[in-house]
Amino acid sequence: MRSLVAFALVGSALVLACSRREPAPAPPAASPAPATPVAATPPPPAGSQSLHAHEKTVTAVAFAADGKSLLTASEDGTVALWDIASRKLEQRRSESGGEVTAIALAPAGTPLAIAVVGANGEGYVEVVDLAGNQLAAPRGKLEAKNVHALAWSPDGSTLAIGNVSAAVTLWQPAGGATRTLSGQEIEARALAFAPDGKSLAGGGYGNTVKLWDVASGAVRELSGHQSELQAVAFAPDGHTLASASMDRTVRLWDAATGTSKATIEGDDTWTSLAFAHDGRTLAGASGHEVRLVDAQSGATVRAMSDPDRTFTTVAIAPDGKELAAGASDGSVLLWPL
């Protein structure tokens, strides 16, 4: 089963989504970090370093708010926590019953949301705290089917969940309240809150980007793509929205007016997008390439390629000095910027 991942940082918590193949028991305690790589992978390209903790496709990568840790998730049902300075694997946590399809870390650095999906589509989303270099026991869980996208609101109070149902779910883990947003008639594979928390962007098996007013639930559509949506991301100032599609393009939109400002072509489908924290650069994963583009013009700033890997997800460190990219062979590559 091919899965795409969405993630977000909110405070100190990380959210994970996972689907299970059978009714899931309580998640087991995290396993100790292995002393050796889980699987053999090709050497990293020149100028990069590689991390190894997963046996299958890496579905998401996310830097902690302080930039000291990196979280990675995989179709093998695991979430790994890395110390950036030492490149040491601090924790490798196994989720029960399926693939980890998405993670999202609250902006404040905790909690973390995790989505898990099993072979029959059954699954759940759980919330765990990130304390230092360890993920704590779950403190919230919501049963949900086929979750492929997660996004935290800027204040960390609300988690947007995209799944196979006819609506996007907004969940408040603290109190357990949920509500749905209309207008998403297909599986949502990408979600992102605007920096002010007033809007939520999403997309999936349709050609249009959905943009909801979170308070009222009103939705408008941005048209221009010719195939399914794979990723969405807001620039830090909230003025620009980026969207990626299976039509092999990334579009940059004026978030206020919905006007398309630039179109970026690719040789393969773009599966993940991430803005640098200064908003000037946008990173994207596209086939064997990770590309950095100017966030205003769309012009390529730098391209990093590896013929031995297909890249699936990207993230840029809070200080803008490093980029992490997950790949289909289970490895994560780190490049200095």
Side-chain angles (χ1 to χ4, degrees), residues 9 36 55 76 78 119 147 149 163 168 183 214 228 270 290 298 304 313 315:
L9 291 175
T36 58
E55 297 177 339
D76 66 6
T78 64
V147 175
N163 52 44
V168 169
V214 175
E228 302 161 9
W270 301 76
V290 174
M304 296 158 284
T313 180

Side-chain angles (χ1 to χ4, degrees), residues 32-178:
T36 58
V38 173
T41 57
S48 69
Q49 292 179 290
S50 58
L51 305 177
H52 308 276
H54 304 295
E55 297 177 339
K56 295 183 179 180
T57 297
V58 176
T59 52
V61 291
F63 282 96
D66 61 7
K68 295 180 179 180
S69 302
L70 177 71
L71 289 144
T72 62
S74 170
E75 289 180 354
D76 66 6
T78 64
V79 176
L81 178 63
W82 304 86
D83 178 82
I84 286 297
S86 66
R87 305 307 203 221
K88 178 184 176 182
L89 178 58
E90 299 286 356
Q91 184 179 2
R92 186 172 183 265
R93 174 193 177 97
S94 295
E95 296 298 321
S96 63
E99 304 173 358
V100 178
T101 56
I103 62 174
L105 190 57
T110 194
L112 173 70
I114 303 170
V116 179
V117 180
N120 59 1
E122 297 296 325
Y124 58 89
V125 176
E126 66 180 8
V127 175
V128 300
D129 283 316
L130 175 59
N133 61 356
Q134 292 293 308
L135 293 170
R139 64 176 174 87
K141 185 175 180 179
L142 181 71
E143 299 294 325
K145 292 184 177 181
N146 287 322
V147 175
H148 291 282
L150 298 170
W152 282 107
S153 61
D155 64 3
S157 67
T158 302
L159 181 69
I161 301 171
N163 52 44
V164 77
S165 67
V168 169
T169 299
L170 298 181
W171 177 38
Q172 294 182 316
T178 62

Side-chain angles (χ1 to χ4, degrees), residues 85-292:
S86 66
R87 305 307 203 221
K88 178 184 176 182
L89 178 58
E90 299 286 356
Q91 184 179 2
R92 186 172 183 265
R93 174 193 177 97
S94 295
E95 296 298 321
S96 63
E99 304 173 358
V100 178
T101 56
I103 62 174
L105 190 57
T110 194
L112 173 70
I114 303 170
V116 179
V117 180
N120 59 1
E122 297 296 325
Y124 58 89
V125 176
E126 66 180 8
V127 175
V128 300
D129 283 316
L130 175 59
N133 61 356
Q134 292 293 308
L135 293 170
R139 64 176 174 87
K141 185 175 180 179
L142 181 71
E143 299 294 325
K145 292 184 177 181
N146 287 322
V147 175
H148 291 282
L150 298 170
W152 282 107
S153 61
D155 64 3
S157 67
T158 302
L159 181 69
I161 301 171
N163 52 44
V164 77
S165 67
V168 169
T169 299
L170 298 181
W171 177 38
Q172 294 182 316
T178 62
R179 70 183 179 98
T180 57
L181 296 173
S182 62
Q184 182 67 59
E185 297 176 354
I186 42 81
E187 183 177 358
R189 305 193 71 86
L191 293 170
F193 272 98
D196 63 5
K198 295 180 180 180
S199 300
L200 176 70
Y205 288 131
N207 300 348
T208 60
V209 179
K210 303 291 192 297
L211 198 58
W212 288 275
D213 179 283
V214 175
S216 69
V219 62
R220 57 191 173 108
E221 298 185 349
L222 310 183
S223 300
H225 284 296
Q226 303 302 310
S227 189
E228 302 161 9
L229 273 293
Q230 298 287 288
V232 291
F234 276 98
D237 63 5
H239 295 160
T240 300
L241 171 66
S243 60
S245 165
M246 289 189 71
D247 63 11
R248 299 187 176 186
T249 67
V250 171
R251 286 182 176 265
L252 301 177
W253 309 86
D254 183 302
T257 66
T259 302
S260 179
K261 302 194 296 182
T263 300
I264 305 165
E265 303 287 342
D267 295 328
D268 207 328
T269 298
W270 301 76
T271 55
S272 178
L273 298 171
F275 277 97
H277 286 245
D278 63 6
R280 298 178 181 178
T281 307
L282 175 69
S286 178
H288 299 293
E289 183 179 74
V290 174
R291 198 191 305 185
L292 298 175

